[in-house]
Amino acid sequence: MTLDELRAGVDAATLGRELYDCVTDLYPLCRSLTGDGLRETLRRLQRRVPLTVHEVPTGTPVFDWTVPKEWNIRDAWVKNARGERVIDFRRSNLHVVSYSVPVRRRMSLAQLRPHLHTLPDRPDWVPYRASFFNETWGFCLSQRQLDALEDGEYEVCIDASLEPGSLTYGECYLPGESSDEILMSCHVCHPSLANDNLSGIAIAASLGHYLRQVSLRHSCRILFLPGTIGPITWLARNEAAVGRIRHGLVLVCLGDAGRFTYKKSRRGDAVIDRAAAHVVRQAGDHVVEEFSPYGYAERQYCSPGFNLPVGRLSRTPHGCFPEYHTSADNLDFVRPGQLAGSFAACLDILDVLEHDRVYVNQSPRCEPQLGRRGLYREVGADEMAMLWVLNQSDGQHSLLDIAERSGCAFPALRRAAAALERHGLLKEAPVR
Amino acid sequence: MTLDELRAGVDAATLGRELYDCVTDLYPLCRSLTGDGLRETLRRLQRRVPLTVHEVPTGTPVFDWTVPKEWNIRDAWVKNARGERVIDFRRSNLHVVSYSVPVRRRMSLAQLRPHLHTLPDRPDWVPYRASFFNETWGFCLSQRQLDALEDGEYEVCIDASLEPGSLTYGECYLPGESSDEILMSCHVCHPSLANDNLSGIAIAASLGHYLRQVSLRHSCRILFLPGTIGPITWLARNEAAVGRIRHGLVLVCLGDAGRFTYKKSRRGDAVIDRAAAHVVRQAGDHVVEEFSPYGYAERQYCSPGFNLPVGRLSRTPHGCFPEYHTSADNLDFVRPGQLAGSFAACLDILDVLEHDRVYVNQSPRCEPQLGRRGLYREVGADEMAMLWVLNQSDGQHSLLDIAERSGCAFPALRRAAAALERHGLLKEAPVR
Amino acid sequence: MTLDELRAGVDAATLGRELYDCVTDLYPLCRSLTGDGLRETLRRLQRRVPLTVHEVPTGTPVFDWTVPKEWNIRDAWVKNARGERVIDFRRSNLHVVSYSVPVRRRMSLAQLRPHLHTLPDRPDWVPYRASFFNETWGFCLSQRQLDALEDGEYEVCIDASLEPGSLTYGECYLPGESSDEILMSCHVCHPSLANDNLSGIAIAASLGHYLRQVSLRHSCRILFLPGTIGPITWLARNEAAVGRIRHGLVLVCLGDAGRFTYKKSRRGDAVIDRAAAHVVRQAGDHVVEEFSPYGYAERQYCSPGFNLPVGRLSRTPHGCFPEYHTSADNLDFVRPGQLAGSFAACLDILDVLEHDRVYVNQSPRCEPQLGRRGLYREVGADEMAMLWVLNQSDGQHSLLDIAERSGCAFPALRRAAAALERHGLLKEAPVR
């Protein structure tokens, strides 16, 4: 199957439903940097995408870091004097600070208070908090819940373990014609948060599912990694092979209603930067952000010792929507249509990466006579796209170059080039 | 005579009248891609400008194209049942689709209708239509005329011929000091349309007329070509010589009331691009457009196999004024003053091309003392222009470079340079 | 003492007072291009800054110029028929056109009038006028004074001398670790004008005073020169040594309430241009102007034979405030706080020039773990600055490059780099 056939074969409504179902399925699991919630997430994704699951033991050195202890949680609660669970992990896994050490104590509200986190400005929302590298414990709750707590003694229990174990991540490799790779990467360490990470997970999994069926020039590698320590571990274990990565995308926050935001790689002018900028520009309202050393896995991919051509595709970026890292980033915040639109943008970018080529006009002195070849009526090839491809195809400009100069959409140029090539007016340039 | 003397010697009012008279004289002729209307146009221009007329036989191969049959028309009409000419070529040559094959038939209005072209949104205007490469026939009329046609039988006559003959074009070559050429090109294939082509023809002819009397560094070549096939034919016949073209301008739509629009050559940074952009910028409100492979003869000059430094000077570009390609592009639409202003802009551009030079400041350490040389009062040289020329003349920056950096008008810099050179403060740099 | 210690040690209020006192002290002196007023100015500055005073004899050739005669004035007045001084040099030295030749005559108001200069639009202000290179004489007065003059005979006296003598300038050289120099230059030829030249003089003198106490990498050279002929003379006498000037600033109009204006050197991309642009950008509302060959001593430093990397720092530039070159540019127009702010901006620029370095991240593959080094809490180093320094320190980007790319303030980056260097995460790159 070709990429075009894939796109023709899957309708947006079906796709949106599939993506949203995936988000819904994974939403209740208590993911963290390590542990069984993350393992179960990858297990479920394996139904849909051919995923190798890696386990890296606690204590393994990975560059300047060490793989941390594994965290697992069974239950957690705060009970009031009447024995009622006033904070209950079973109701939402956000209620426990991720990586909390085990605790079982009685204490007064005053003693408990420093361990309770709320969002006073959003009194109905529960914040998401984690403390991966400081051993501590805590609960998150809404401001209204906190305000309702009476003075008195509370019983506190976090039935968790923080012990040697392993760090888990998933990897899907789809071999293409060439060993040149396109990397796609998402993070899998957040618990019940729908946009900030499940949207990226669902799209990455669907990319794996569908692209497995497609013949591509590039090989594709799709990574499902916990944040920070995940890409660091993957890079440390695959250092020798990163030279094959030609293009890469971090996928995150792709289910909300915002416009697309593409954040450039550290290089700033990599092909992925230009391809993604072209695609989001064609999509209408959009933002192209310069690189900054903050955010998600791009921080590691774009560290100066790697400097990989990896950008980030989002809709509204992290921290720019109030629901970010709160219980309001829930199943209502992401929508099937928005997920499907993001998936389509990924395919559009892939389409550029796969089909960007340099051609040479075989009739370069004056325009060739398109009319007598019936090319003005050629299905799917518009005249301006043909004129641009002919004019710029001097062996120096790729279709993406032409897309940038002309403002024509890449697919129109690609179809124009194909039509011209069929009529002998264009030949692919020898590889430079 | 120098260019300065030419400019001092011709006043704008006289010039405007001459240009407008030329437009008026040529307006009634039925020009087309080939044929006697075009021939007569060139013949009349020969009164004013030393024009060589070339005839290229039908069937001559020119790159990917072939010189077409020659089209001539004597008369054309549609008569109603009462024998009245309801559409009449004698009233306006726009009434016949250019290159219509001969026809003489009786038919019902229903049969006739597919051959009738109107502008429903502009019910009083007659459109201009041509069908050069598809053998067909048709009439153009106003929507009101069409609406007034009664059902019934009509007699249709196009008394035209489409037969082997030749393609005609005109060429004026004015030798200069050097064989380096400035190309000026206009199209001559449109019938009674005043702005879209007669304005360009009149200005090109007047440039030939006046520049013949001027000593120039560059040789000038002025081409009067039918659209598309004209420049293709000229380029095919002059391929070996195009290397002499250093700068070029396509002249079109120069008589309307709009601001100047300069469209860059494919190179984008050719001297002509910078010179013309400077001149239209100095003229006030203006547009500088990037190259695109659409429009007039620049499509051929800027095809990748030639890539000549040829831009296009217009006022309102084709397709951007509603009168475009309609009977409303008539003798009221172009005005003498607008034509004269366009002619002056051409001379301004020529002035830059002719006088752009690199100088070397002979007193480069600190400023020279202008006061003791009386240079602060030097007629026609202003202080800022002198300071800029002195400061930038290190052998690396031409006057045009300085014009771009300083925002000073080129003529002011040129006069400043002349004054400084007279006082020994500046010398022309050796040719790089 | 380090630059940081200097900045910590002097509070803005004290500094503002010192700068304003300097302006106040020098305000009454009648400075001109040469003469005793200028000499006395330098003498008073010597109390504060180690200044070498140079005397260059009249007639000395300096490039295209000649050192002019020395001008001194003792008194000047216009007396009415009643013997009253209606214009009196003793009330303000602005009343006499600078460099007026001596005169002692009786004349009618009509005869006197061509020698009287006013500002009709600002009827209470006295203009400042000079005639350095045309031998003439004149008086400046307010329009109201002029309007009050009665017809009748006047006695005119300018008790001045214009005779062979010398041109005087001051120079302060502060040796640093390296012989690479930072040049600071102000003009000292204006009489009682507070912003347009005393603000620059006071700041330059305080820079000399304080920087003498500081250990710097660069040597500093601070010049107190009369306008135009001053920098020309200095350059002529120091031609062989100008190659040591790595960075330079002309200091002028720094006491008014306007935003900062930095005017770039002729080079446009010199380190001083980027450093000063960064500093004024960080200061908030600001203007960065392109170079133009007009203004102050930068005209000479940036003449093409020298092309030194010297820009100009001002608040409101000359000619852009109505008080410019009038009696309204007085001690009320400049304020201590504004002077202190300008001084601080100079130190900020110096800080960039002194501390701009290229580092190499010693842990370049992925981010190093800042947390376990306590670097997230490091005093004075913020996280984003650390991430930017780590990400960009690949041996190709200096701290100033990083400041430009990141938008972080230079001092934050410098402190981040210092913290990272202390923890072994960064090393200075070998000199390229």
Side-chain angles (χ1 to χ4, degrees), chain C residues 144-272:
Chain C
R144 286 201 207 289
Q145 275 179 290
L146 178 59
D147 293 344
L149 293 186
E150 296 156 13
D151 278 339
E153 204 182 52
Y154 287 87
E155 192 189 349
V156 173
C157 167
I158 297 181
D159 179 10
S161 61
L162 186 58
E163 291 167 355
S166 63
L167 176 140
T168 311
Y169 68 83
E171 184 165 20
C172 162
Y173 180 72
L174 305 173
E177 246 174 74
S178 145
S179 63
D180 288 353
E181 283 181 22
I182 298 172
L183 181 80
M184 283 162 283
S185 178
C186 64
H187 63 287
V188 291
C189 52
H190 288 19
S192 293
L193 295 169
N195 199 33
D196 180 14
N197 67 185
L198 288 170
S199 67
I201 294 170
I203 285 169
S206 275
L207 284 168
H209 172 71
Y210 284 109
L211 292 179
R212 180 175 37 165
Q213 308 164 46
V214 171
S215 306
L216 295 176
R217 266 206 303 172
H218 291 87
S219 299
C220 288
R221 190 177 298 277
I222 309 175
L223 300 178
F224 299 82
L225 306 171
T228 304
I229 191 70
I232 291 171
T233 301
W234 187 85
L235 284 163
R237 302 179 90 213
N238 295 276
E239 199 179 346
V242 297
R244 290 188 201 132
I245 298 171
R246 289 281 172 276
H247 320 284
L249 273 183
V250 171
L251 300 173
V252 59
C253 295
L254 287 162
D256 65 278
R259 60 187 175 181
F260 286 117
T261 299
Y262 176 71
K263 174 185 165 182
K264 290 186 194 174
S265 77
R266 183 179 183 271
R267 300 185 183 189
D269 61 352
V271 173
I272 184 67

Side-chain angles (χ1 to χ4, degrees), chain A residues 103-273:
Chain A
V103 62
R104 176 109 202 201
R105 276 162 59 188
R106 289 183 171 278
M107 54 180 74
S108 68
L109 182 57
Q111 290 169 308
L112 181 55
R113 227 175 244 282
H115 293 275
L116 301 182
H117 307 282
T118 65
L119 294 167
D121 290 349
R122 302 281 183 176
D124 291 315
W125 295 359
V126 179
Y128 161 61
R129 290 284 160 82
S131 181
F132 297 134
F133 297 97
N134 273 328
E135 297 207 351
T136 180
W137 62 269
F139 286 88
C140 297
L141 65 169
S142 72
Q143 184 64 38
R144 288 203 206 287
Q145 274 179 289
L146 178 59
D147 293 344
L149 294 186
E150 296 156 10
D151 278 341
E153 203 181 50
Y154 287 89
E155 190 188 350
V156 173
C157 167
I158 297 182
D159 179 12
S161 61
L162 185 58
E163 290 166 357
S166 62
L167 177 139
T168 312
Y169 68 83
E171 183 165 19
C172 163
Y173 181 71
L174 306 173
E177 249 175 73
S178 145
S179 62
D180 288 353
E181 283 182 23
I182 298 173
L183 182 78
M184 284 162 283
S185 179
C186 63
H187 64 287
V188 290
C189 51
H190 288 18
S192 294
L193 295 169
N195 198 34
D196 180 14
N197 68 184
L198 288 170
S199 68
I201 294 171
I203 285 170
S206 274
L207 284 167
H209 171 71
Y210 285 110
L211 294 178
R212 179 174 39 165
Q213 308 163 46
V214 173
S215 308
L216 295 176
R217 266 207 305 172
H218 292 88
S219 299
C220 287
R221 189 177 297 278
I222 309 177
L223 299 178
F224 299 81
L225 306 172
T228 304
I229 192 70
I232 291 171
T233 300
W234 187 85
L235 284 163
R237 301 180 90 212
N238 295 276
E239 198 178 347
V242 297
R244 290 188 200 131
I245 298 170
R246 288 282 173 274
H247 320 285
L249 273 184
V250 171
L251 300 173
V252 59
C253 295
L254 287 161
D256 64 280
R259 59 188 175 179
F260 286 117
T261 299
Y262 176 71
K263 174 184 164 183
K264 291 186 193 173
S265 77
R266 182 178 183 271
R267 299 185 184 189
D269 62 351
V271 173
I272 183 67
D273 297 324

Side-chain angles (χ1 to χ4, degrees), chain B residues 163-218:
Chain B
E163 291 167 356
S166 62
L167 177 140
T168 312
Y169 68 84
E171 184 165 19
C172 163
Y173 180 72
L174 306 173
E177 247 174 75
S178 144
S179 63
D180 288 353
E181 283 181 22
I182 298 173
L183 181 79
M184 283 161 284
S185 179
C186 63
H187 64 287
V188 290
C189 51
H190 287 18
S192 294
L193 295 169
N195 198 33
D196 180 15
N197 71 183
L198 288 170
S199 68
I201 293 171
I203 285 170
S206 274
L207 284 168
H209 171 71
Y210 285 109
L211 293 178
R212 180 175 38 165
Q213 308 164 45
V214 173
S215 306
L216 296 176
R217 266 206 305 172
H218 292 87

Side-chain angles (χ1 to χ4, degrees), chain B residues 361 363-370 372-373 376-377 383-384 387-388 390-394 397 405 425, chain C residues 63-66 133 231-232 235 239 265-268 290-294 299-300 302-306:
Chain B
N361 181 340
S363 180
R365 291 166 306 164
C366 299
E367 294 173 8
Q369 199 178 356
L370 298 179
R372 69 170 158 88
R373 294 176 175 90
Y376 276 126
R377 303 277 143 82
E383 188 193 346
M384 276 312 293
L387 291 177
W388 271 110
L390 285 167
N391 186 276
Q392 294 292 300
S393 289
D394 52 9
H397 302 101
R405 182 164 189 183
L425 289 170
Chain C
F63 295 128
D64 195 54
W65 303 63
T66 305
F133 297 96
I232 291 171
L235 284 163
E239 199 179 346
S265 77
R266 183 179 183 271
R267 300 185 183 189
E290 293 303 315
F291 175 76
S292 74
Y294 200 73
R299 295 167 65 153
Q300 314 309 328
C302 296
S303 59
F306 289 112

Side-chain angles (χ1 to χ4, degrees), chain A residues 265-268 300-310, chain C residues 364 391-392 394 405:
Chain A
S265 77
R266 182 178 183 271
R267 299 185 184 189
Q300 314 309 329
Y301 298 132
C302 297
S303 58
F306 289 111
N307 197 27
L308 295 174
V310 178
Chain C
N391 186 276
Q392 295 293 300
D394 53 7
R405 183 165 188 183

Side-chain angles (χ1 to χ4, degrees), chain B residues 20-247:
Chain B
Y20 192 74
D21 286 351
C22 177
V23 169
T24 307
D25 177 42
L26 301 175
Y27 185 73
L29 299 176
C30 182
R31 279 164 296 278
S32 185
L33 213 56
T34 59
D36 290 330
L38 170 46
R39 258 181 218 105
E40 174 60 17
T41 297
L42 297 179
R43 199 144 41 223
R44 293 195 191 177
L45 290 174
Q46 281 179 316
R47 291 180 208 148
R48 191 158 170 75
V49 55
L51 215 57
T52 307
V53 174
H54 299 264
E55 299 281 355
V56 185
T58 298
T60 306
V62 285
F63 296 126
D64 193 56
W65 302 62
T66 305
V67 172
K69 291 181 194 159
E70 181 176 326
W71 185 69
N72 283 293
I73 183 164
R74 281 159 297 275
D75 198 1
W77 38 262
V78 173
K79 285 186 187 165
N80 64 13
R82 293 182 297 279
E84 298 159 348
R85 288 192 172 209
V86 293
I87 309 176
D88 187 353
F89 173 73
R90 294 176 313 194
R91 297 195 53 184
S92 164
N93 54 41
L94 294 179
H95 280 314
V96 177
V97 171
S98 199
Y99 257 67
S100 280
V101 294
V103 62
R104 178 110 201 199
R105 276 163 60 189
R106 289 184 172 277
M107 55 180 74
S108 67
L109 182 57
Q111 291 169 310
L112 181 56
R113 225 175 245 283
H115 295 275
L116 301 181
H117 306 281
T118 65
L119 295 167
D121 291 348
R122 303 280 183 174
D124 292 315
W125 296 359
V126 179
Y128 161 62
R129 290 284 159 82
S131 179
F132 297 134
F133 298 95
N134 273 327
E135 296 206 351
T136 180
W137 61 269
F139 287 88
C140 298
L141 66 167
S142 73
Q143 185 64 37
R144 287 200 207 290
Q145 274 179 291
L146 178 60
D147 294 343
L149 293 186
E150 295 155 11
D151 278 339
E153 204 182 52
Y154 287 87
E155 191 188 350
V156 173
C157 168
I158 298 181
D159 179 10
S161 61
L162 185 59
E163 291 167 356
S166 62
L167 177 140
T168 312
Y169 68 84
E171 184 165 19
C172 163
Y173 180 72
L174 306 173
E177 247 174 75
S178 144
S179 63
D180 288 353
E181 283 181 22
I182 298 173
L183 181 79
M184 283 161 284
S185 179
C186 63
H187 64 287
V188 290
C189 51
H190 287 18
S192 294
L193 295 169
N195 198 33
D196 180 15
N197 71 183
L198 288 170
S199 68
I201 293 171
I203 285 170
S206 274
L207 284 168
H209 171 71
Y210 285 109
L211 293 178
R212 180 175 38 165
Q213 308 164 45
V214 173
S215 306
L216 296 176
R217 266 206 305 172
H218 292 87
S219 299
C220 288
R221 190 177 298 276
I222 310 177
L223 301 177
F224 300 81
L225 307 171
T228 305
I229 191 69
I232 291 171
T233 301
W234 186 86
L235 284 163
R237 302 180 89 213
N238 294 276
E239 199 178 347
V242 296
R244 290 188 200 131
I245 297 170
R246 288 283 174 274
H247 320 284

